[in-house]
Structures are given as C-alpha cells and as structure tokens.
Amino acid sequence: MKKTEQLIINTFLELVEEKPLDKITIQDIANKCGINRNTFYYHFDDIYSLIESVFNNHVVTIERMFEEGASWSECSEVALNFLVQNRRAIRHIAFSMNRNQLDHYLFVVFKRIFTEYLLNNFIVNISDEKFDNLILFYTYAIMGCIDHNFIENNNDIELEALLDKFNTTLLMTNPLKTSKQSR
C-alpha cells in the first residue's frame, strides 16, 4: 500500500473516532493529512470507497495470517482487536449508510475464521451442505453478538472480555476435537 494511501486511511480512522461519519468531509481528511482534495481522489473515489478499502485491507491481513499458518484463535484475536481499537469508528460506520460494508467485512472475516475452526475441531461426520450451514450459523451468531454487545449497546467491552465470550461460546457448543478425517 502506498504511503499516502495509508496516511489517508489512518487519518480517516482518527476522524471517524472523533465525529460521526456523515460529518466528515473529504476536505477534512485532506486538511488533516496535509494533502489536497485531488490527492485524495487519486487514491479513492469517495469516502465510501475509503471505508471499503479499510475493511478490505483488514480482510487481506486475516487471509495472509492464515496463509502464513496462524491459527483461527490468533486470527480471531486480530479481528476482534481491530474492532476494539476502532470501536468508535466502527459504531459511527454501523449507524451510517455504510452498515452494509461493516456487515460484509464481519461476514467475510468471521466466516473464514469459523471455517478454519470447524475444519480443525469438528468431530461429527456431516454433509458439505450441513457443514456450510454450520459455518454460517457460527458466523451470524458472532455477528449478532458483536452487534448486540459492542455496537448497539455502546458497550466498552475490552478485548480480553470479547475474546472470552467468543472462545467460551465455541467451547460450549462444539464436541471434543478429533482429526479432520472424521468430517
């Protein structure tokens, strides 16, 4: 990623921590970055494409972690930490017209995490279709928990507490681990 593009993203995340998304202008971002509006438009079409880039970059980070051998637990910690570190920005995006981008990000990241988790921990032999449905169940369950505990209720839950809820839910709803071959 280009240096200026990263500067714009970081500046945007700072601004959206301070004020609602609909109050942020491209001029605000440009001024705080020390660039002109044309430079912003060289990298992004608008604020919505900037938001999409923020989420896409984080999805790439998670994918890269998996490719490098990280566990589902390590990836979930990084994903949840991203939410905690950017909690106000996430809330502002959630309550804006861009909720669908946030939901898409959460879906993609947690579907990937739960796919890895279930491939490595599920012991019941079921069809691929049922397995895919189980992945969707876990994905939507965590999205609902994040929405309820983190976004809607303005809960300032810390990363450790969020990870504990996440891990406890998985441990309580999954049989003991066995080999992948039993799937």
Side-chain angles (χ1 to χ4, degrees):
M1 179 182 305
K2 297 176 185 172
K3 191 173 170 181
T4 303
E5 191 172 316
Q6 189 61 54
L7 174 65
I8 293 168
I9 288 172
N10 292 343
T11 300
F12 168 74
L13 288 172
E14 288 173 23
L15 284 171
V16 80
E17 284 285 329
E18 298 168 10
K19 57 185 175 178
L21 183 63
D22 61 351
K23 302 290 185 202
I24 297 172
T25 65
I26 291 170
Q27 192 63 55
D28 292 335
I29 297 169
N31 288 346
K32 192 161 182 163
C33 284
I35 61 173
N36 63 43
R37 289 170 50 96
N38 287 338
T39 302
F40 176 93
Y41 285 117
Y42 175 77
H43 296 281
F44 303 100
D45 294 332
D46 52 27
I47 288 180
Y48 305 110
S49 68
L50 171 58
I51 293 168
E52 184 176 358
S53 181
V54 169
F55 290 137
N56 286 343
N57 289 342
H58 202 260
V59 167
V60 168
T61 298
I62 298 294
E63 284 296 334
R64 191 173 298 126
M65 287 179 67
F66 275 122
E67 289 168 9
E68 293 171 358
S71 70
W72 68 268
S73 181
E74 292 167 320
C75 292
S76 64
E77 183 170 352
V78 168
L80 294 171
N81 190 47
F82 174 77
L83 296 175
V84 170
Q85 293 302 314
N86 297 289
R87 75 175 72 235
R88 292 191 73 205
I90 296 296
R91 286 183 186 129
H92 285 155
I93 292 167
F95 293 119
S96 75
M97 300 282 291
N98 288 330
R99 177 62 185 250
N100 60 337
Q101 286 179 319
L102 173 60
D103 288 342
H104 179 76
Y105 159 76
L106 292 171
F107 178 82
V108 169
V109 166
F110 286 104
K111 183 177 181 216
R112 178 70 164 102
I113 288 168
F114 287 122
T115 298
E116 290 300 317
Y117 171 76
L118 291 170
L119 283 172
N120 291 308
N121 293 287
F122 199 67
I123 65 169
V124 179
N125 189 11
I126 59 175
S127 70
D128 287 344
E129 180 182 357
K130 287 181 180 176
F131 190 74
D132 291 343
N133 287 336
L134 190 59
I135 291 168
L136 291 177
F137 171 80
Y138 275 104
T139 301
Y140 285 119
I142 194 64
M143 287 173 67
C145 288
I146 289 169
D147 190 47
H148 176 75
N149 288 304
F150 187 76
I151 296 171
E152 294 292 335
N153 291 329
N154 202 21
N155 188 342
D156 284 334
I157 191 168
E158 294 301 320
L159 178 62
E160 293 76 26
L162 196 56
L163 281 168
D164 184 58
K165 286 180 180 234
F166 185 81
N167 291 326
T168 300
T169 300
L170 290 176
L171 293 174
M172 292 175 56
T173 60
N174 193 25
L176 297 173
K177 180 179 179 178
T178 192
S179 69
K180 289 183 202 176
Q181 287 77 21
S182 65
R183 181 177 147 306

